[in-house]
Amino acid sequence: MSSRRPTAERSGPTGLPRVLAGVREDGRPESLRGTLARYGTTAAAARGTDLVDEIDASGLTGRGGGAFPTALKLRAVAGGRRRPVVLVNGAESEPASGKDRGLLRSLPHLVLDGAVLAAEAVGAREVVVAVGRRSVREREVIAAALAERARERFDGGIKIRLVEVPSGGFVSGEETALVSFLNGGAAKPTAIPPRPFERGVGGAPTLVQNVETLCHLALIARFGSAWFRELGTTREPGSVLVTISGAVRRRGIHEFELGTPLSHVISEAGGLTGPASGLLVGGYFGSWLAPSALDELRLLDADMPLGARAIVVLPADTCAVGEVARVTRYLAGSSAGQCGPCVHGLDAIAGAMEQLATGSADAAPRIRRWADMVAGRGACRHPDGATQFVASALDVFAGEIASHVRYGRCPSRVRGVLPMPQHGERA
């Protein structure tokens, strides 16, 4: 492993924020000059195999939900027979998350720095930045940043192109769905090899990384792996961005070191606005937790995987069963339509959840049985995530479900707390 420290003369940000340190208070995107003034030039950054070694030593994992070791991805793509491509996944199709769109709007040059450095590390000469169709402002900011970098001839021989990809469909942002779309197909996941690192965009080995991961990569390249490990735990080093919404006083994107107690996470978001009935951790492929988990869990505990890095606190005066039914119907409608267990199974589960919301006594047992039958049988992980969301809700909201069954309705009239794409925003 290389012992080279690329920026020994320049120390990185101490404490938090790290990635969010460059976010301007006026909401405007940070310029190229401002990015370099804050973080230093990439001329002194680790590059090529030195960067791969630094990333390996840092322990950086993907911040898009899969938490796959970033260095393994880099080496897999670099070892291909053809010149690879780097694909920046800025689609962010998880409705409860906004961190990647926030980075594209606020820190475009940090994102692009990470993409270019990753391209150099794997021997790529092309970077594709994929941004969702609905993310108009984000595309405008990236286009302006690319023009700024072109004027400064900042990226050498790396060609960067911005592409508009489908958004609104839950599975359209999955990496194989993006590759399929960019190759002229439908934005649907594929389960059959080859995987993108073997043959992706244009048939070339493709490194797919989400926006936040590339920001961390750009900082590690400048300040080194030891700096990155100053935060977090030995097993899960570094910091992570979390989108927090629902019954908290400061909704939005927050940065925490991994291992932070969940109670501190909520405290940093301004604390609760009132009693909560449950917490959704990991977005709509995540799990519901009881409010007691606030005093028990830490970010990335074995019992609290972060998934899409989104936390929604559900107010106690909200109809939890109705909210879960609403999202389950959305997830069923977001199926790629490629396999029976997903198409028919999720539709049946969504229908039963809607019946449960109106007091059906036998709906919950049917939902559990069907969830067990559907999990693990899809062409992609969509049915697995959806059934985890539903099954955890049955446990956490058991008391409210019993009230629905007993009275045939919910006394709460509050609806629409869980974020959802607006009508007409499907891909």
Side-chain angles (χ1 to χ4, degrees):
M1 182 176 294
S2 171
S3 60
R4 178 184 176 214
R5 286 303 303 274
T7 53
E9 75 285 355
R10 184 180 180 89
S11 59
T14 57
L16 289 174
R18 280 183 169 182
V19 172
L20 298 183
V23 176
R24 295 168 56 114
E25 291 185 3
D26 61 9
R28 296 171 57 191
E30 182 67 280
S31 66
L32 177 60
R33 179 175 298 179
T35 300
L36 298 181
R38 179 175 296 277
Y39 296 116
T41 176
T42 58
R47 309 184 101 86
T49 55
D50 288 317
L51 175 58
V52 178
D53 287 343
E54 285 292 335
I55 297 301
D56 193 5
S58 75
L60 175 66
T61 57
R63 296 314 200 231
F68 193 81
T70 304
L72 288 182
K73 270 194 169 184
L74 291 167
R75 290 194 170 108
V77 172
R81 295 183 178 181
R82 289 184 54 184
R83 186 175 291 280
V85 173
V86 171
L87 174 56
V88 180
N89 187 349
E92 194 165 40
S93 54
E94 163 62 59
S97 180
K99 64 184 183 63
D100 289 336
R101 292 192 301 276
L103 291 173
L104 291 170
R105 288 192 306 271
S106 301
L107 300 172
H109 291 288
L110 194 62
V111 176
L112 295 172
D113 282 352
V116 169
L117 289 165
E120 293 177 349
V122 301
R125 290 291 177 265
E126 180 183 11
V127 171
V128 180
V129 183
V131 182
R133 188 171 294 146
R134 290 183 291 128
S135 303
V136 177
R137 176 57 180 161
E138 289 78 2
R139 293 200 309 275
E140 291 174 346
V141 170
I142 292 297
L146 290 175
E148 188 179 5
R149 295 168 82 91
R151 288 194 299 270
E152 299 293 332
R153 299 182 179 179
F154 192 73
D155 296 317
I158 305 294
K159 176 185 176 183
I160 309 176
R161 60 186 176 103
L162 172 63
V163 298
E164 178 185 301
V165 297
S167 59
F170 194 81
V171 299
S172 60
E174 195 270 342
E175 64 174 26
T176 62
L178 287 180
V179 169
S180 173
F181 177 79
L182 293 173
N183 286 340
K188 296 182 178 181
T190 57
I192 301 174
R195 304 300 292 174
F197 75 88
E198 298 168 313
R199 189 163 72 238
V201 176
T206 301
L207 175 72
V208 185
Q209 292 288 9
N210 92 303
V211 167
E212 184 191 343
T213 308
L214 291 171
C215 287
H216 287 288
L217 184 149
L219 295 180
I220 294 169
R222 286 171 163 94
F223 307 125
S225 57
W227 166 82
F228 184 75
R229 284 184 169 275
E230 288 174 1
L231 295 181
T233 68
T234 301
R235 185 176 64 88
E236 294 289 350
S239 64
V240 63
L241 302 187
V242 181
T243 308
I244 306 177
S245 60
V248 293
R249 289 186 172 84
R250 289 198 298 271
R251 303 170 188 172
I253 303 163
H254 301 262
E255 185 171 5
F256 302 97
E257 64 175 310
L258 291 166
T260 299
L262 186 54
S263 58
H264 180 71
V265 170
I266 300 303
S267 176
E268 286 296 301
L272 299 177
T273 57
S277 60
L279 297 90
L280 178 62
V281 177
Y284 294 162
F285 273 10
S287 296
W288 287 100
L289 302 175
S292 60
L294 283 173
D295 299 320
E296 301 169 358
L297 298 179
R298 296 173 178 268
L299 290 182
L300 272 191
D301 260 357
D303 295 328
M304 198 189 74
L306 269 176
R309 275 64 181 170
I311 296 175
V312 185
V313 182
L314 196 67
D317 62 357
T318 301
C319 177
V321 181
E323 288 291 280
V324 172
R326 187 170 64 93
V327 173
T328 305
R329 175 55 66 189
Y330 162 71
L331 293 174
S334 297
S335 169
Q338 299 182 118
C339 57
C342 186
V343 174
H344 304 298
L346 292 188
D347 181 68
I349 291 170
M353 277 300 312
E354 289 162 347
Q355 293 171 7
L356 185 60
T358 59
S360 174
D362 65 344
R366 283 186 284 128
I367 293 169
R368 289 191 186 277
R369 183 170 68 254
W370 292 341
D372 288 341
M373 294 170 62
V374 168
R377 296 185 59 202
C380 68
R381 293 205 61 200
H382 185 67
D384 299 348
T387 52
Q388 177 174 280
F389 170 85
V390 171
S392 62
L394 295 182
D395 293 333
V396 171
F397 302 119
E400 183 172 320
I401 290 171
S403 294
H404 275 70
V405 172
R406 182 176 181 182
Y407 300 110
R409 62 182 178 82
C410 180
S412 173
R413 296 181 180 272
V414 179
R415 301 288 194 278
V417 173
L418 295 180
M420 189 76 67
Q422 296 300 310
H423 180 70
E425 289 185 342
R426 289 291 308 278

